[in-house]
Amino acid sequence: MLNALPLTDRNLILTGYTGPNPPRIGQLIAERLRLPFVNLDLQITERAGLSQEEVRQFYGETRLKAIESDLIEEARLRRQTVIRVGARTLLRGDHLARLSETGPVICLVTTLDAVLRRLHIAMGGRYADPNERAREIGELRREWAVRGLPGIIELDTTYLDVEQTIQTVIELWRERAIARS
């Protein structure tokens, strides 16, 4: 399907975890490219009216999977969009394959040391709370589950600032989109 899409219609799918607020990089890239931005994890929460954990707790995994599948299908219909999707959603069923049909999937990664440093700065005093820190590290583990999978383009952001990350993601997206057209 990706080969059938003209370059101008390709999406940019972002995943990965490099520190707190992963969707922010996606928003900045979308602004730079003047493209719409969709955060699928936020859409899941908005559609359900509950966090993903609450949906899982109150209605079960089946309900969460159904919401995710609906949103993945809607995302597949989009064109020229920066789509941020969490690894947990991306790894379910055939979601990765389905989204890959609409554009390259880029996973932002960094070293554990860099993540912990970024968390410490962003969390401030909350970093000292082992529960808060454990929650963030648990999120990191879930997000890094996509690393090394076929079709995933990894970008190590350890030594890149935000501007360099944005530029590199845009270059990768353009290269991959052109290479597959």
Side-chain angles (χ1 to χ4, degrees):
M1 173 83 174
L2 181 59
N3 291 335
L5 290 177
L7 174 61
T8 56
D9 288 345
R10 304 267 166 75
N11 293 325
L12 167 56
I13 298 96
L14 285 175
T15 193
Y17 187 90
T18 60
N21 195 11
R24 185 70 186 132
I25 291 287
Q27 291 169 327
L28 294 170
I29 291 168
E31 288 171 12
R32 179 76 48 86
L33 292 170
R34 293 190 171 103
L35 297 176
F37 175 72
V38 173
N39 180 349
L40 287 182
D41 291 337
L42 180 61
Q43 285 193 335
I44 292 167
T45 300
E46 289 173 352
R47 173 101 23 120
L50 301 167
S51 72
Q52 291 183 40
E53 291 304 317
E54 291 171 325
V55 172
R56 193 175 285 109
Q57 178 185 354
F58 296 128
Y59 301 104
E61 195 73 22
T62 304
R63 177 67 183 134
L64 182 59
K65 288 178 184 179
I67 294 169
E68 288 174 342
S69 289
D70 289 347
L71 288 169
I72 290 291
E73 195 56 37
E74 290 173 23
R76 286 184 68 231
L77 298 174
R78 291 183 156 281
R79 297 295 177 258
Q80 289 188 307
T81 302
V82 176
I83 300 170
R84 168 68 174 99
V85 59
R88 184 181 279 184
T89 301
L90 194 60
L91 291 173
R92 241 188 254 290
D94 64 348
H95 295 176
L96 174 58
R98 289 166 57 202
L99 278 179
S100 294
E101 292 174 350
T102 71
V105 179
I106 299 175
C107 180
L108 303 179
V109 299
T110 191
T111 63
L112 182 57
D113 286 346
V115 168
L116 293 176
R117 231 182 359 263
R118 292 171 188 176
L119 284 175
H120 187 263
I121 291 167
M123 293 176 70
R126 292 182 312 131
Y127 187 80
D129 180 345
N131 294 325
E132 288 281 331
R133 197 170 53 244
R135 186 179 64 74
E136 289 293 331
I137 291 172
E139 183 66 24
L140 168 68
R141 284 186 182 142
R142 286 187 290 279
E143 287 299 316
W144 279 5
V146 299
R147 293 180 77 175
L149 292 178
I152 299 283
I153 303 161
E154 287 188 26
L155 173 60
D156 186 347
T157 65
T158 302
Y159 302 106
L160 302 179
D161 62 25
V162 172
E163 182 59 34
Q164 291 169 320
T165 300
I166 291 168
Q167 272 310 115
T168 306
V169 167
I170 290 171
E171 289 168 12
L172 282 171
W173 174 63
R174 288 183 173 146
E175 287 171 12
R176 299 300 168 132
I178 290 170
R180 298 178 92 176
S181 59

